Amino acid sequence: MAGENFTIVLEFILLGFSDQPELQGLLFGIFLVIYLSILIGNGLIIVLTKVDPALQNPMYFFLGNFSFTEICYTSVTLPRMLINIWTKNRNISFVACAIQLGFLLILGTPECLILGIMAYDRYLAICKPLHYPLIMNHKLCVQLVAGSWSIGIPVQIAQTYQIFSLPFYGSNKLNHVFCDPRPLLRVACKDTFVNELSIYAGALLFLMIPFLLILWSYIKITSIILKLPSTTARYKAFSTCSSHVMVVGLFFGSMIITYLQPKSSDSAKNEKIFSLFYTILTPMFNPLIYTLRNKDVIAALKKLLLKCGGTKNI
């Protein structure tokens, strides 16, 4: 051991899609359009839920907060990806990588929890309509959102510290588009079994528990809706949940596959692809799904556009 040379890793190289140099210009254009769409679409939802009186209820309060989380979450990864592609410099310092991973984990927690809270909100609205205004008051809504933001911070900071306390020597190439736990553990020069268990435990705590809450909520909701005598009432009840179900399917489906899939020869490639679903595609589709499938949001958007048009004419 004394005769061997070791190089302490001071920076990592995010390989991303560098194995396809002919596509770099196209990828930059696609990711730039996606990022602008995320900022504009989710920003518009935040504005609508703040200014339109018809959207001043718990469901849209949670939607506005979810859209804000989506913007923050995406901004941790996409700008860096765009810079890497544009400059062709894929290096990221050890500290910058730790900061990116920390924010990614911290912001991922409220995303999962708010989606669970939104499902519980729909359960109360449909299954307990008489008690809904008393239970889901503004104070509780604020407490739930604040809790979803703060509850995971100590755990995720500890997990980030645990990963970056590992020794990194030699290889510093991460076969990923951003700093993520599993690619980092692959290049660590130590047995990472405990760290992997920690990742699975975190995924079960902040991913599977909200998912199970969502599943339980919609089982209850479905059982109540199917008992409604009117077809119109059943359709209306299902339509209030359909947008949320689609976003949940996209987000949780890709995250569960990414973090809970077993190791295999193709797992690194699969992680890189599926990570784009929950970090990029879900935030992009979220405003589209809620705008195109929600009559209240469409009406609020039309009012805002008419108001802006009238102000411009004046």
Side-chain angles (χ1 to χ4, degrees), residues 64-84:
N65 279 276
F66 182 71
S67 293
F68 175 72
T69 311
E70 294 275 58
I71 290 174
C72 296
Y73 189 71
T74 308
S75 296
V76 174
T77 56
L78 254 178
R80 183 87 200 194
M81 288 168 58
L82 291 169
I83 292 169
N84 290 349

Side-chain angles (χ1 to χ4, degrees), residues 5-294:
N5 293 322
F6 293 94
T7 303
I8 297 175
V9 171
L10 299 177
E11 64 180 13
F12 295 99
I13 300 173
L14 294 167
L15 296 178
F17 299 101
S18 58
D19 56 334
Q20 298 173 312
E22 71 282 359
L23 296 178
Q24 298 307 295
L26 177 62
L27 288 173
F28 179 84
I30 291 172
F31 288 145
L32 179 61
V33 170
I34 288 174
Y35 186 49
L36 293 175
S37 300
I38 290 168
L39 294 179
I40 295 169
N42 286 285
L44 190 59
I45 285 184
I46 294 170
V47 171
L48 290 175
T49 56
K50 291 292 184 184
V51 303
D52 194 281
L55 304 184
Q56 302 299 306
N57 61 54
M59 181 173 72
Y60 296 111
F61 175 78
F62 295 132
L63 176 60
N65 279 276
F66 182 71
S67 293
F68 175 72
T69 311
E70 294 275 58
I71 290 174
C72 296
Y73 189 71
T74 308
S75 296
V76 174
T77 56
L78 254 178
R80 183 87 200 194
M81 288 168 58
L82 291 169
I83 292 169
N84 290 349
I85 295 172
W86 181 259
T87 62
K88 297 181 174 60
N89 179 10
R90 301 179 185 279
N91 294 11
I92 182 170
S93 71
F94 190 88
V95 174
C97 190
I99 292 171
Q100 186 183 62
L101 177 62
F103 276 106
L104 197 68
L105 294 176
I106 289 169
L107 291 168
T109 300
E111 273 203 300
C112 298
L113 295 177
I114 290 174
L115 282 172
I117 292 168
M118 291 170 75
Y120 182 65
D121 172 73
R122 291 298 82 210
Y123 160 75
L124 289 176
I126 293 172
C127 301
K128 299 182 182 296
L130 297 178
H131 299 92
Y132 177 72
L134 297 174
I135 298 173
M136 199 59 73
N137 54 61
H138 182 70
K139 182 181 178 181
L140 180 62
C141 292
V142 172
Q143 288 174 341
L144 287 171
V145 170
S148 69
W149 273 89
S150 59
I151 194 170
I153 291 177
V155 176
Q156 304 298 14
I157 289 176
Q159 192 170 82
T160 303
Y161 176 79
Q162 186 184 45
I163 291 171
F164 281 90
S165 296
L166 293 169
F168 293 94
Y169 302 117
S171 177
N172 64 341
K173 294 180 179 179
L174 304 180
N175 187 19
H176 214 275
V177 289
F178 51 82
C179 293
D180 208 40
R182 294 182 76 167
L184 284 162
L185 295 181
R186 288 192 185 98
V187 299
C189 299
K190 187 181 178 181
D191 181 24
T192 59
F193 178 73
V194 174
N195 301 86
E196 288 173 9
L197 279 181
S198 175
I199 290 172
Y200 284 119
L204 287 171
L205 181 63
F206 297 118
L207 187 62
M208 290 306 296
I209 290 178
F211 180 73
L212 292 174
L213 174 62
I214 292 168
L215 191 62
W216 174 84
S217 296
Y218 279 112
I219 288 173
K220 293 288 187 180
I221 288 170
T222 303
S223 66
I224 292 294
I225 290 175
L226 292 177
K227 294 176 183 177
L228 295 175
S230 168
T231 304
T232 305
R234 288 197 296 269
Y235 174 79
K236 186 177 179 181
F238 274 123
S239 66
T240 63
C241 304
S242 59
S243 300
H244 182 253
V245 170
M246 292 175 69
V247 172
V248 165
L250 275 172
F251 183 78
F252 278 96
S254 55
M255 285 201 81
I256 288 170
I257 291 171
T258 301
Y259 283 99
L260 299 183
Q261 66 173 326
K263 284 186 176 180
S264 68
S265 57
D266 295 326
S267 62
K269 182 180 177 181
N270 292 339
E271 284 171 20
K272 185 163 59 176
I273 299 300
F274 281 110
S275 67
L276 295 178
F277 278 85
Y278 66 82
T279 57
I280 294 176
L281 293 183
T282 303
M284 182 181 70
F285 285 125
N286 173 51
L288 289 175
I289 290 170
Y290 274 99
T291 302
L292 296 176
R293 297 185 62 84
N294 192 297

